[in-house]
Amino acid sequence: MELWFSEYQTKNVKLSFRIKEVLYTKQSSYQKIAVYETEDFGRILTLDDTIMLTTKDEYIYHEMISHVPMLTHGDASRVLVIGGGDGGTVRELLKHPVKEIHLVEIDKEVIETSKKYFPTISCGLSDPRVKIYFEDGIEFVKKNTGYDVVIVDSTDPIGPAVGLFSAEFYKNVFEALNEDGILVAQTESPILFDNLVKKIYKDMSSVFPYTNMYSAVIPTYPGALWTFTMGSKTINPLLKEVSSLPHIDTKFYRRELQKSYFILPPFVSNLISDRGV
Ligand code: SAM
């Protein structure tokens, strides 16, 4: 009998993978965690039946959420990741000369699952520069400061992640950042969730002097075209020269394109330039 996993990306759209094996399922205190071995996309991690990553294409998301802000900053030594319990973002951040990475993940079980089933993704979590907190990122940023870069590598705005998509949260991150600090958040699909993308941009730009969006094609995320939104206190990402910064090994991110990543398809720039929702 054929086995399939399907994610309902909307009520009317689903993406399905033929699977070889169900490797793990567990209901944690926060969400249903599952790991599947698929025919064509390697191993996949789902939370509440939503794809977090596949071993086939995870590098696109993890490189783009990490290297674009890190190169924009150019000298980040203290970085905060909110969510990101699979470890992919931390793995990429460790390619930079950082001194300290704080990972704030609400669900310990996600980290345990990734350590067991995704060793090539979770490999950086035991690095001595990484400190892991099992806490709610929304509360954490109210009490902790001194970060050069904050990355919000969260689930969609459902359940515990709702508050990570709000102007109030962005204000707290602004306070948690150093003078030249930068925030980047994963900000959903402009094709399927246009009103949400618009609202996120509006909220972040009400807090940060420079707010810029960039995008990447991530085949296994809803709508395939995915956005990231950057809020910056003093550095204008459109002017930042990155050619002299240390080399990093990547599979998707290209340093030559650093400034061009912020040039959006017209339908996305039109979407966010209209400030009404
Ligand atoms: N790349 C992924 C995506 O966009 O599908 C995100 C992956 S990562 C696994 C997301 C993590 O955010 C989850 O492990 C979840 O537990 C965590 N999370 C959700 N809300 C959170 C919160 N308020 N504070 C800290 N972590 C949170």
Side-chain angles (χ1 to χ4, degrees), residues 66 69-81 90 93-103 127-131 145-151 176-182 235 245:
S66 312
M70 289 300 281
L71 277 274
T72 298
H73 187 283
D75 189 26
S77 70
R78 212 162 167 263
V79 181
L80 170 65
V81 180
V90 165
L93 290 171
L94 288 167
K95 294 178 180 173
H96 297 265
V98 288
K99 289 206 177 82
E100 228 183 326
I101 299 171
H102 291 173
L103 178 81
D127 188 284
R129 288 169 288 175
V130 180
K131 188 157 183 205
T145 57
Y147 296 103
D148 299 311
V149 170
V150 173
I151 296 178
L177 284 165
N178 290 332
E179 229 168 82
D180 55 355
I182 286 177
I235 301 166
L245 294 171

Side-chain angles (χ1 to χ4, degrees), residues 30-31 45 47 50-53 61-62 65 82-87 89 104-107 110-111 135-139 153-156 158-164 186 188 221 226:
Y30 296 95
Q31 51 217 342
L45 171 69
L47 296 180
T50 302
I51 292 168
M52 294 294 111
L53 61 87
Y61 174 88
H62 291 128
I65 202 168
I82 294 174
D86 51 74
T89 299
V104 183
E105 165 60 64
I106 204 165
D107 191 347
V110 174
I111 294 188
E135 282 183 44
D136 184 339
I138 300 162
E139 296 306 313
D153 180 6
S154 71
T155 37
D156 301 331
I158 300 167
V162 171
L164 298 171
Q186 73 84 1
E188 308 284 320
Y221 281 0
W226 206 250

Side-chain angles (χ1 to χ4, degrees), residues 158-209:
I158 300 167
V162 171
L164 298 171
F165 294 78
S166 71
E168 192 195 340
F169 171 71
Y170 300 142
K171 272 187 209 127
N172 293 329
V173 172
F174 187 94
E175 297 305 325
L177 284 165
N178 290 332
E179 229 168 82
D180 55 355
I182 286 177
L183 159 69
V184 161
Q186 73 84 1
T187 51
E188 308 284 320
S189 161
I191 291 180
L192 289 178
F193 312 120
D194 52 347
N195 280 345
L196 174 61
V197 169
K198 221 163 154 169
K199 181 187 175 311
I200 293 166
Y201 183 83
K202 184 177 165 229
D203 285 347
M204 208 184 283
S205 55
S206 73
V207 175
F208 283 86

